[in-house]
Amino acid sequence: MTVSDQIGSATPVRRRPFGLLLVATPVLLVAWLVIWPIISAVIQTVWVPTPDGGKTVSLASYSYFFSDGYSLSNLSMTLWTTGVCAILLLVVCLPIALYLRFSNSKIAAYVQGLAIFPMFVPSIILSFAFIRVLGPNGTADLLLNSVGLPKIRSPYLTPWGPVIGLVWDNIPLTVLILLSGLGNVSNQAVEAARDVGAGKIALLWHIILPRISNSILVAISFAVLGIFSAFTLPYILGPAAPEMMGPFMQRTFRELLQPNTAITQAVITFGFCIIFGLFYVRSVAKNRTP
Amino acid sequence: MAATLTKSRVDWTGIVFAVVLTIVIVVPLLVVGTWAFTNVWRYPSVIPQEFGLRFWNQTLARADVWSSISMSLTLSFTVTALSALICLPAAYAFARLDFPGKNILFFSFLAGHAFPKFGLLVAIAGIFLQLNLIGSFWGVVLIQLVGTLLFMIWIPVAAFQAVDRRMEEAARDVGASPLRVFWSITLPQAGPTIAAAILLSFVGTFYETEGAWLIGAPQVRTLPVLMISFINNQPVIQYGAVLSVLLWVPSFIALLFARKVVNSGSFARGFGG
């Protein structure tokens, strides 16, 4: 049952404008602070002022972005980070979710608690912790030194810094979304496959993955939307140049004082993520059963 | 027999996951906690040379720490109160009343999550620039309010819909007024989930860094924003560590109270799972 059915069926048939009145303020806020800025950003970057005081349609700010080497290297670093994080998240979280779904042991509760725990750790504390553990002279170096091994080459301030931080940060929701999808895999289906001799790999490939493919795509979409324009972790843990789109936009807006250029960069991030955004909204709307 | 065998088998997979996750998740936070209670810790010693609270006194004596704590708390209380005020009646309306365009309006709250967040913040900042809201308290309040809308509507809607309607009808049948039914039947059932949504909203606002930094800095300096400058410019490691421990207090409270909501399937479904 879709949420539309749920909402429709759970309510009495009274049709009163009173409901509209109650929802008006948050809806207007969304219209003013989400929908309008997006439309306005597109208009502002395309409908530009001319020297004679008029306005004309121009894609100059976009052609500048796509011809500027630094902007392009920032974009490619963002795409690389997002892709690597999405793959790593799947590789890390799918086994955890599978274990949690099919295990009855007491350890599973501890594992689930740990997997969800990063949700309660703000990115800023994580960044600090990461520097203290993997940064120069951090805990990892201390431990290696104590057993006579050489220091690590710290990922701090390299492209791998944000990757590690972003994966850590996104583990809880990815595990929860995958686990929720695994709830749709019935024990009977798994037992039936086992009865006819399916091994673990066959079970995963033919029974489990087809049933959770939508959840996998939702988890990836959610991660991509969050990572593509992430700010705090790339700003603190990443290299100064090239930088990810989040710090790039912030610097362009606040330090270079070029709001129009920053807004162009924002619209470009929207463009790259639009498929994931649409898919995410469609899936949430379809699957949500309050 | 089979059950006994299964029970006695050691859960090696679970043990491996537990050990790896403990190292990856818990150890970095333990390191920060240790730094906060350390007076001297010089390389290459594996453990601190001297434990103590010296840096707590120094950190708490700083005026910028207190002003950012007070700013963070004021912002979080304002945003949470405003969002409860405007979202809870809306959530009740979505759960219980029927009105034109209900479904499309309900799903419109997803819009804020369908775009890359910082890109959206930059687009909003473009509008705030024209309205002179950059660097203002209310500019940050508005940005953070938008961030709370989805949670503060979707979770309470689910809570109101989960209330047993037959109990409400039974109370009405024996003559209870609508207000009395809401107070004695609806609220006790929906209340805990709504309280968790309010708590999550408070904690989310308390830790919100990107909007506060983009819209508010340097005039509006919250605790996370101060933390960024400590990480970037402060050579005394303990200041950042003490601030991290202070910053984590609301999250710890949320951890204690909101785990049930987070563990429930409805939370993951809210994200499309």
Side-chain angles (χ1 to χ4, degrees), chain A residues 97-181:
Chain A
L98 284 169
Y99 166 73
L100 292 175
R101 166 65 183 83
F102 295 107
S103 171
N104 299 317
S105 94
K106 280 181 184 166
I107 300 173
Y110 177 70
V111 171
Q112 176 155 359
L114 279 180
I116 291 173
F117 192 76
M119 192 183 278
F120 296 94
V121 179
S123 311
I124 194 76
I125 297 181
L126 166 64
S127 310
F128 186 74
F130 178 89
I131 296 169
R132 296 275 46 92
V133 173
L134 291 176
N137 290 354
T139 309
D141 277 349
L142 290 178
L143 293 175
L144 289 172
N145 182 68
S146 69
V147 292
L149 289 169
K151 287 184 175 187
I152 55 160
R153 214 178 136 205
S154 173
Y156 176 44
L157 302 182
T158 76
W160 286 100
V163 168
I164 297 174
L166 288 164
V167 168
W168 201 95
D169 209 27
N170 279 286
I171 285 175
L173 280 176
T174 312
V175 167
L176 282 174
I177 292 171
L178 292 177
L179 201 52
S180 170

Side-chain angles (χ1 to χ4, degrees), chain A residues 139 142, chain B residues 30-52 238:
Chain A
T139 309
L142 290 178
Chain B
L30 276 180
V31 170
V32 175
T34 311
W35 267 107
F37 297 96
T38 291
N39 287 348
V40 184
W41 191 356
R42 289 195 196 93
Y43 188 85
S45 174
V46 176
I47 54 162
Q49 279 93 353
E50 186 188 328
F51 286 98
Q238 283 90 336

Side-chain angles (χ1 to χ4, degrees), chain A residues 3-4 7 10-12 14-16 18-20 22-23 25-27 29-30 32-38 40-41 95-96 99 103 105 107 110-112 114 116-122 124-125 128-129 131-133 137 139 141-143 145-146 151 168 173 176-177 180 215 218 222 225 229 231-232 235-236 246 249-250 253-254 259 262-263 266 269-270 273 277 280-281 284-285 287-290, chain B residues 11 14-15 17-18 21-22 24-26 28-29 31-32 35 41 43-46 86 89-90 93-100 102-103 105-120 122-129 131 142 145-146 149 154 158 161 165 207 210 213-214 217-218 224 227-228 231-232 237 240-241 244 247-248 251 254-255 262-263 267-273:
Chain A
V3 71
S4 318
I7 291 176
T11 51
R14 288 174 293 169
R15 278 194 168 264
R16 296 197 299 189
F18 182 59
L20 269 180
L22 289 178
V23 304
T25 316
V27 166
L29 261 177
V30 165
W32 179 45
L33 288 176
V34 178
I35 314 282
W36 170 240
I38 291 162
S40 159
I96 298 177
Y99 166 73
S103 171
S105 94
I107 300 173
Y110 177 70
V111 171
Q112 176 155 359
L114 279 180
I116 291 173
F117 192 76
M119 192 183 278
F120 296 94
V121 179
I124 194 76
I125 297 181
F128 186 74
I131 296 169
R132 296 275 46 92
V133 173
N137 290 354
T139 309
D141 277 349
L142 290 178
L143 293 175
N145 182 68
S146 69
K151 287 184 175 187
W168 201 95
L173 280 176
L176 282 174
I177 292 171
S180 170
S215 294
V218 170
F222 193 77
L225 288 168
S229 76
F231 170 74
T232 310
Y235 178 74
I236 295 173
M249 283 187 274
Q250 192 273 341
F253 191 92
R254 294 291 311 230
I263 291 169
T269 67
F270 297 158
C273 294
Y280 172 71
V281 169
V284 176
N287 289 350
R288 166 134 172 136
T289 46
Chain B
D11 181 11
I15 291 171
F17 276 128
L21 282 174
T22 304
V24 173
I25 308 280
V26 180
L29 302 172
V31 170
V32 175
W35 267 107
W41 191 356
Y43 188 85
S45 174
V46 176
I86 64 170
F94 279 122
R96 291 300 174 81
L97 306 177
D98 198 16
F99 48 87
K102 185 162 115 170
N103 289 329
L105 293 179
F106 183 68
F107 289 122
S108 72
F109 294 103
L110 278 175
H113 286 238
F115 293 90
K117 187 187 167 196
F118 203 77
L120 184 59
V122 169
I124 297 172
I127 288 177
F128 279 15
L129 200 61
L131 298 173
L142 278 170
L145 195 58
V146 174
L149 287 179
W154 279 45
Q161 288 189 329
R165 301 294 290 269
Y207 294 119
E210 297 163 347
W213 176 257
L214 186 72
M227 185 74 191
I228 289 184
I231 290 175
N232 285 339
I237 294 168
S244 298
L247 252 173
W248 198 61
S251 210
L255 183 70
V262 173
N263 273 336
F267 187 80
R269 277 199 295 277
F271 289 97

